[in-house]
Amino acid sequence: MCGFAGFVGAPDSDLLNRMGDRVRHRGPDQDGAFSDAGCSFIHKRLSIIDLSEAGRQPMATVDGRFVIAYNGEIYNYRELRERYTKEGWTFRTQTDTECFLASVALHGLKDLNQFHGIFAFALWDTKESVCYVARDRMGIKPFYITFDNGRYAFASEIPSLLQLKSKWKIDTIARSLYLTLGYISGPRTIYEGIVSLEPGRLYCIRQGKLDEIGSFTKNIEEKDSLSWTKAKEKLIHIVDKAVSDQLVSDRPVGVFLSGGLDSSVVLSSMRLAQPQGRIKTFTTRFKHDTLDQKFNRDAELAKRTAEKYGCDHHEIEIDEHDVIREAEGIATHLGQPHNNHSTVALDAAARLASKDVTVVLSGDGGDESFGGYERYKKYRTYGPIFGLLNPYFRKKSAERVFRSKSIAASIAKIRGLDKWLSLSGEAGMLLSFHAAHPNLLQSLFGKDVHVEAIRLWTDRLSRIDTLKDPLDRFMKVDRETWLRDDAFVRSDRLTMRHGIELRVPLTDDAVVDFAASLPSRYHVSLFETKKLWRETFADRCLPEVVNEQKRGWFPPTSKWLRSGLKDWSREILEDAIATHSWMNGPALRQAWEDHQASRAYRLQEIWTAIAYHLWWRANRAILSEV
């Protein structure tokens, strides 16, 4: 796991060094640089495999033709290494990085779909003066690119690219996406002109042009005919192998243990792969002045799960003072606005883990492939009904619908699905599970909010319209939006902030592809989420973990806003209102007051404004607008 930056064009050592300084935290162990007349790379290495000087990057082939800057891990590199050795390649290192170089030298770039792992890379062909760039097909590892002053520049994190000029414009469409979703879904970023490279696609930069020249993504359309019993057997094998493969490391490996199903399964697979020794596990506990123990229910289950598997369990307790102390640093490292208030908990867990390990496994990604969210159950239950009735309801005003005695309207209100009645099509229905009602958002942040998100969801659905099952489409869109651009961004930036590598075995290619190959009824029914997953791994988890309804892993920020965060949040909110004219001050103040008085739950809307302003404060010196 590392960080790199570079550009295609004439050398500029001062710029290159400034870009490298902004990703130094991603690679505290080694650094290196490469420049010739057409391309420059700078690399900061976190040593995981082959800790020697031989692993330093940028790395070149013996003849000097190919030079690579690479971030990530190729988990099957040993098999690839054996193959390339038989084909005549003489390896000089034990790194997975050199497998990239061997692959390119022997086969061009035809083997990308054979690489199982998390990666982003830039490869310079000195003979042809072409730079190839790509990132893994799940989009776990970051890669940002921009065109400025006649050259393409790229980096693992956005702050490196901000060194290209003194002022940047805010992308107002990206801002609208953030205000609706709480994050910015790619390829846009908050900065006009900087984009996130589309995952699973190979690009080349040649003669001042960026072109897509290949793809190594998959769209599983044919369903497997496996019986329920055979599916369980295969699932066990695939998950255990994915976890075992991702334990490859010359540095200590631990587990983020949340107390939920997925991280418990990951831990159980790790224990099978490493039957001896005490695995180190890490979790976050929350301090709060309330009798409500739900916020630490997961911490208790994590502790008991760690005991079940004989782990060396570590906890860190945080409170509202940690939020205040870390808020600006977190906003800086995230690079873009993110309104997920659990970031402080993840950041604390990463800080704790960094004292003992360099690599951590997590259970991220299991829900989006195996149907773990309640929204999937609701969509399977009510989606087809409202999909048919939606055009009828859109002909009537919302007031008339909600006054009506219709069965559909009554069900919608009871089940909290009334937002569907004011939204059109599948995109609107799916988005309603992620965003507040458009009327509320527009009253707080302006008329354009939500519109852009509908366009994004519509575009995403159009790309996968060959998937016949609506639930399959829902989960795939979630993987391509929420998982990729929110969950993965937060976990990558905040673990790398503390110099550790996060791995996500439940998003291994084989795991995701197998889940997609199964009928969606294996995952979600009218009454149950994660059906196959729960039954398959029930004996590996505590009964409570298997049987309890899924909870979000988040701190008691809502309660903290009424106590230790009250003055802090009010100051930031007032400063945000005074700074950003597009924020509706009276409406935001009313939301804050309603939340303080417990008249309404307004955490998400309040936190959206606060998180945006924290990002703006961290970057205002380079922003040309507010």
Side-chain angles (χ1 to χ4, degrees):
M1 196 66 68
C2 311
F4 67 86
F7 48 84
V8 177
D12 185 334
S13 59
D14 182 59
L15 171 62
L16 190 66
N17 287 328
R18 293 201 313 272
M19 294 175 72
D21 286 342
R22 297 305 185 274
V23 290
R24 184 176 297 279
H25 58 281
R26 297 183 67 93
D29 297 328
Q30 293 176 345
D31 56 19
F34 162 83
S35 284
D36 70 6
C39 185
S40 297
F41 295 151
I42 192 163
H43 190 274
K44 308 296 178 179
R45 186 184 184 214
L46 176 64
S47 304
I48 303 293
I49 298 172
D50 190 342
L51 311 184
S52 72
E53 280 292 309
R56 188 182 295 273
Q57 294 188 51
M59 187 179 290
T61 53
V62 172
D63 62 5
R65 175 174 176 178
F66 297 106
V67 183
I68 192 170
Y70 157 67
N71 165 34
E73 303 292 348
I74 304 302
Y75 303 125
N76 64 331
Y77 83 97
R78 287 171 176 163
E79 298 100 84
L80 294 168
R81 179 187 178 90
E82 183 177 345
R83 172 187 162 192
Y84 297 145
T85 298
K86 290 178 180 178
E87 293 176 359
W89 187 267
T90 301
F91 280 87
R92 297 167 291 152
T93 77
Q94 299 297 317
T95 65
D96 55 331
T97 308
E98 193 176 2
C99 278
F100 259 112
L101 291 175
S103 173
V104 173
L106 294 170
H107 303 289
L109 286 156
K110 297 177 182 178
D111 277 3
L112 280 179
N113 61 355
Q114 302 297 314
F115 284 64
H116 299 297
I118 52 179
F119 59 83
F121 71 86
L123 177 83
W124 177 240
D125 182 341
T126 61
K127 180 179 179 181
E128 300 294 334
S129 296
V130 179
C131 186
Y132 299 96
V133 296
R135 61 195 289 226
D136 63 81
R137 70 184 182 98
M138 286 295 290
I140 298 167
K141 289 294 97 189
F143 192 108
Y144 296 97
I145 190 165
T146 189
F147 184 77
D148 180 73
N149 197 27
R151 63 185 164 199
Y152 278 97
F154 40 81
S156 298
E157 295 190 12
I158 290 175
S160 286
L161 299 181
L162 300 181
Q163 306 310 305
L164 291 168
K165 57 186 182 182
S166 60
K167 290 293 181 180
W168 290 84
K169 292 183 179 179
I170 291 173
D171 184 323
T172 55
I173 292 178
R175 184 173 65 194
S176 292
L177 290 174
Y178 164 74
L179 296 170
T180 302
L181 303 171
Y183 63 94
I184 297 169
S185 190
R188 290 184 182 275
T189 73
I190 194 65
Y191 296 97
E192 191 175 288
I194 297 177
V195 298
S196 176
L197 200 71
E198 281 289 289
R201 301 177 189 182
L202 176 64
Y203 298 84
C204 76
I205 305 171
R206 187 199 311 259
Q207 296 179 346
K209 293 180 60 180
L210 176 70
D211 294 307
E212 181 181 341
I213 59 172
S215 172
F216 49 101
T217 60
K218 291 183 181 179
N219 200 20
I220 305 298
E221 299 177 15
E222 296 298 322
K223 292 298 182 180
D224 202 311
S225 58
L226 284 177
S227 68
W228 181 265
T229 300
K230 290 295 185 183
K232 288 171 59 178
E233 292 173 357
K234 190 170 182 179
L235 178 59
I236 291 172
H237 170 73
I238 289 175
V239 170
D240 285 345
K241 185 178 187 305
V243 173
S244 178
D245 288 348
Q246 296 194 23
L247 294 176
V248 58
S249 173
D250 293 330
R251 306 285 287 274
V253 181
V255 177
F256 277 162
L257 195 57
S258 70
L261 264 172
D262 295 340
S263 63
S264 297
V265 171
V266 168
L267 175 59
S268 73
S269 296
M270 184 173 176
R271 175 52 79 198
L272 286 174
Q274 297 180 348
Q276 304 299 320
R278 290 176 62 80
I279 299 169
K280 293 184 182 294
T281 54
F282 308 91
T283 196
T284 305
R285 185 177 290 273
F286 307 114
K287 184 177 181 180
H288 55 92
D289 297 326
T290 174
L291 297 177
D292 190 347
Q293 294 303 308
K294 69 179 180 182
F295 297 105
N296 283 320
R297 177 62 173 166
D298 283 318
E300 291 297 330
L301 292 175
K303 181 179 180 181
R304 290 173 52 197
T305 299
E307 291 171 351
K308 172 183 172 71
Y309 286 101
C311 299
D312 181 9
H313 189 57
H314 301 258
E315 290 184 348
I316 186 171
E317 185 178 66
I318 64 172
D319 59 18
E320 53 264 69
H321 301 294
D322 294 280
V323 176
I324 296 172
R325 184 181 65 251
E326 300 295 338
E328 291 185 2
I330 289 173
T332 297
H333 277 273
L334 287 174
Q336 298 192 80
H338 283 262
N339 85 341
N340 194 306
H341 60 98
S342 69
T343 52
V344 66
L346 175 58
D347 184 73
R351 184 169 67 251
L352 175 68
S354 67
K355 298 175 183 178
D356 292 283
V357 300
T358 311
V359 178
V360 286
L361 306 186
S362 87
D364 284 358
D367 290 318
E368 293 80 5
S369 289
F370 292 93
Y373 294 119
E374 285 294 309
R375 61 178 176 262
Y376 299 147
K377 187 170 69 175
K378 285 185 177 182
Y379 190 62
R380 179 173 283 291
T381 306
Y382 300 106
I385 298 173
F386 284 98
L388 292 172
L389 296 177
N390 189 263
Y392 163 74
F393 284 122
R394 281 186 56 77
K395 293 178 181 178
K396 300 176 176 288
S397 70
E399 290 183 3
R400 287 179 63 191
V401 168
F402 295 129
R403 284 202 307 265
S404 75
K405 304 294 184 181
S406 74
I407 295 175
S410 299
I411 292 174
K413 294 182 76 172
I414 292 170
R415 303 299 298 171
L417 304 173
D418 47 292
K419 285 187 290 183
W420 284 8
L421 301 181
S422 60
L423 298 170
S424 61
E426 185 178 14
M429 286 192 287
L430 299 189
L431 185 58
S432 71
F433 289 104
H434 290 276
H437 196 286
N439 291 346
L440 172 61
L441 291 170
Q442 290 167 357
S443 72
L444 295 171
F445 304 121
K447 62 182 178 61
D448 293 331
V449 175
H450 197 274
V451 174
E452 299 301 338
I454 285 286
R455 290 176 181 167
L456 172 70
W457 253 248
T458 302
D459 176 64
R460 289 291 177 189
L461 284 167
S462 70
R463 299 185 192 185
I464 56 173
D465 58 4
T466 54
L467 293 179
K468 298 181 177 64
D469 190 304
L471 194 59
D472 286 339
R473 293 196 295 271
F474 194 175
M475 290 191 289
K476 187 168 179 62
V477 169
D478 271 359
R479 291 194 297 271
E480 292 185 354
T481 53
W482 142 259
L483 184 64
R484 177 189 299 168
D485 296 314
D486 186 2
F488 287 159
V489 169
R490 286 183 284 113
S491 59
D492 175 82
R493 303 307 185 277
L494 298 180
T495 52
M496 292 307 301
R497 180 190 185 195
H498 298 286
I500 60 175
E501 172 181 299
L502 182 78
R503 297 178 180 175
V504 280
L506 302 188
T507 62
D508 185 271
D509 293 346
V511 176
V512 174
D513 289 347
F514 178 64
S517 75
L518 296 173
S520 66
R521 67 178 184 276
Y522 278 28
H523 303 313
V524 180
S525 70
L526 301 182
F527 309 103
E528 188 178 2
T529 59
K530 238 171 187 175
K531 289 176 56 183
L532 180 69
W533 187 269
R534 288 178 193 276
E535 186 171 319
T536 300
F537 296 110
D539 62 339
R540 296 194 185 184
C541 303
L542 300 174
E544 303 95 306
V545 172
V546 177
N547 298 323
E548 287 186 4
Q549 187 175 13
K550 181 177 176 60
R551 295 177 301 277
W553 185 67
F554 53 85
T557 313
S558 175
K559 297 182 183 299
W560 287 344
L561 274 180
R562 301 187 186 108
S563 54
L565 296 182
K566 183 176 181 178
D567 294 339
W568 175 84
S569 63
R570 185 60 185 258
E571 180 273 323
I572 295 176
L573 191 62
E574 286 297 332
D575 193 35
I577 291 168
T579 302
H580 312 293
S581 61
W582 45 268
M583 287 190 181
N584 186 332
L588 280 168
R589 291 188 185 100
Q590 186 62 56
W592 193 84
E593 294 293 346
D594 287 345
H595 189 87
Q596 291 296 320
S598 299
R599 289 190 293 266
Y601 180 84
R602 289 289 176 254
L603 172 63
Q604 289 306 114
E605 297 88 68
I606 295 169
W607 208 256
T608 295
I610 287 174
Y612 181 86
H613 195 56
L614 286 171
W615 164 82
W616 182 87
R617 279 182 175 179
N619 296 279
R620 57 187 161 191
I622 62 166
L623 297 174
S624 59
E625 56 189 278
V626 296

